[in-house]
Amino acid sequence: MTDFDSDPSPSGDFDVAPVRLTVDLAALSDNWREMQRRSGRVRTAAVVKADAYGLGIEDCGTAFYEAGARDFFVAVAQEGVTLRSYAPDARIYVLSGIWPGQEQMFFENDLVPVLASEEQLAFWMSVVSEHGDHPCALQVDTGFNRLGLSFEDALALAGDVSRPAGFSPVLVLSHLHSGDNPASPLNRQQLELFQQVSAAFEGIESSLSASAGIFLGPEYHFDLTRPGIALYGGESVGGMMPLKPVVKAEARVIQVRDAAAGGTVSYGATHQLSRESRLAIVSAGYADGYLRSLSGSGVPIRTGGSSGAFGFIAGHRVPVIGRVTMDLTIFDVTDVPASDIRTGDYIELFGPNMPLDDVARAAGTIGYELLTGLGLRYERRYIYPE
């Protein structure tokens, strides 16, 4: 059960922090188990790139490992080095591959480079010729036009009997570009191409599906699934309810002030008050990843008709008014009883009462960006499984 209030005695720093995060590692572990269940009989990895989507690779990696994950994906080698201490016997794949000068780092930390270009492949061939066998993975492009060997080059490599004996890929993978739209016919096109790649690399495990692909069904699962955003409580498929919420972001109320009807609010005077109002000034802004596009007004960069974000305090949804600034945001708390809110209280920016993706949509973006853009000023509290 997710419980963001299970620790009634947080640290002193947490209790007075200007901005703070509560990360429910029990919910995180439950979400991994749920994605494992949905993956059926195949293994389920955990994607912990970008500092575990902004929530902390050390604590999140430990939670996934203790839940049973033994395959992990990171973006860059240094993330893999950090993770190794917390997942001692796991297989850690580095999605950006390997560069000259990183050989020792990969060998000493038993990291698996994901080779995604002819240049990386040629370099890796020379590395294993000199240093001996070490596992690698191959990424194949099936329509994303991002990273990966071309479909034709991958098939040619599979049939190349002259490749070095020490070249021993343990995984072939690709990535769906429209998995979040189950109705897209392009998912089937990518699947059929990848089925050919998988068959060509007979005896080597295959992986196609991240979070969204898992929901497309068993055909897309192959040998290993790679959930990411779903583990952290974000939406992976449009219109589908996410799994358990994992993170709550809060900001402290610095001041509650009265403001007269007709007055203006924040930079540019883009919001004019239509009534006698009470305003809560809170200590979070775009330097904390609370995006400027969440402003209640005055941000032409936002499209789609959103009126801006809301926060949650004392049982009420309260709107952002005026522009979000670097360190401060202003909420209209006129409809919250005066006795229910005071200086020093905390307002929920996103969390169990303000769903991550609802807030992201208000900014014209996605939950991934809010999580990975969290600033350095957040004091963190982790709720561990019992």
Side-chain angles (χ1 to χ4, degrees):
M1 179 177 179
T2 300
D3 183 3
F4 285 95
D5 300 311
S6 65
D7 181 1
S9 303
S11 70
D13 288 343
F14 187 87
D15 220 11
V16 298
V19 284
R20 65 190 194 183
L21 290 176
T22 303
V23 181
D24 188 341
L25 296 176
L28 187 81
S29 300
D30 287 345
N31 286 349
W32 181 82
R33 294 187 188 98
E34 176 62 16
M35 296 306 282
Q36 181 187 45
R37 185 189 70 79
R38 291 176 180 269
S39 297
R41 297 183 178 181
V42 312
R43 294 198 322 282
T44 303
V47 178
V48 293
K49 61 185 181 176
D51 195 30
Y53 286 54
L55 302 187
I57 194 171
E58 297 91 346
D59 292 272
C60 294
T62 299
F64 289 134
Y65 184 81
E66 291 181 350
R70 291 298 180 269
D71 297 271
F72 290 83
F73 286 83
V74 298
V76 296
Q78 189 54 55
E79 292 177 333
V81 173
T82 300
L83 178 62
R84 176 55 71 200
S85 298
Y86 304 92
D89 61 344
R91 176 160 277 170
I92 301 174
Y93 296 92
V94 179
L95 288 164
S96 63
I98 185 171
W99 295 89
Q102 292 185 317
E103 302 92 322
Q104 185 175 356
M105 183 186 299
F106 273 78
F107 280 91
E108 288 182 353
N109 294 280
D110 194 20
L111 306 179
V112 181
V114 178
L115 309 177
S117 69
E118 290 290 345
E119 293 83 0
Q120 285 190 342
L121 182 62
F123 171 65
W124 185 249
M125 294 284 199
S126 67
V127 169
V128 295
S129 295
E130 181 178 351
H131 296 283
D133 191 13
H134 187 82
C136 68
L138 293 174
Q139 184 162 182
V140 180
D141 177 49
T142 53
F144 204 127
N145 271 318
R146 193 170 63 173
L147 289 177
L149 301 179
S150 71
F151 174 74
E152 294 78 13
D153 287 344
L155 294 186
L157 178 63
D160 184 1
V161 296
S162 66
R163 64 193 191 196
F167 176 68
S168 52
V170 294
L171 185 71
V172 178
L173 63 105
S174 191
H175 195 59
L176 296 167
H177 53 66
S178 299
D180 59 343
N181 177 11
S184 173
L186 298 176
N187 292 322
R188 172 62 57 174
Q189 289 182 23
Q190 284 192 267
L191 172 64
E192 292 174 353
L193 286 175
F194 190 66
Q195 285 172 331
Q196 295 180 58
V197 172
S198 179
F201 286 93
E202 184 179 2
I204 297 173
E205 291 190 329
S206 302
S207 177
L208 178 62
S209 290
S211 293
I214 292 172
F215 293 101
L216 293 177
E219 268 190 302
Y220 290 81
H221 294 170
F222 291 86
D223 300 295
L224 180 70
T225 59
R226 315 186 306 269
I229 189 64
L231 304 179
Y232 303 95
E235 291 181 12
S236 58
V237 177
M240 179 180 290
M241 287 293 292
L243 304 185
K244 291 183 177 181
V246 169
V247 60
K248 178 168 67 173
E250 298 171 288
R252 202 169 200 201
V253 177
I254 299 176
Q255 183 185 46
V256 179
R257 63 184 300 132
D258 295 323
T264 61
V265 180
S266 196
Y267 283 123
T270 60
H271 182 91
Q272 185 171 34
L273 298 170
S274 61
R275 60 179 177 171
E276 299 292 314
S277 302
R278 278 184 300 112
L279 310 179
I281 320 305
V282 310
S283 54
Y286 54 76
D288 305 292
Y290 199 67
L291 302 174
R292 187 172 181 270
S293 57
L294 289 164
S295 300
S297 59
V299 283
I301 60 173
R302 185 179 64 225
T303 58
S306 168
S307 59
F310 287 78
F312 187 86
I313 190 168
H316 294 260
R317 282 168 49 95
V318 293
V320 174
I321 60 171
R323 287 176 178 163
V324 174
T325 67
M326 183 182 292
D327 311 299
L328 301 168
T329 299
I330 303 168
F331 291 86
D332 185 343
V333 296
T334 309
D335 295 327
V336 181
S339 60
D340 289 351
I341 181 173
R342 59 188 176 184
T343 300
D345 288 348
Y346 283 88
I347 189 166
E348 182 180 314
L349 304 177
F350 58 82
N353 301 296
M354 288 301 309
L356 171 69
D357 288 280
D358 286 356
V359 178
R361 277 187 283 271
T365 186
I366 54 178
Y368 299 74
E369 186 175 19
L370 285 188
L371 288 181
T372 59
L374 292 170
L376 298 175
R377 297 190 289 207
Y378 286 90
E379 187 71 26
R380 292 162 184 251
R381 177 184 66 168
Y382 292 92
I383 300 174
Y384 293 89
E386 293 181 0

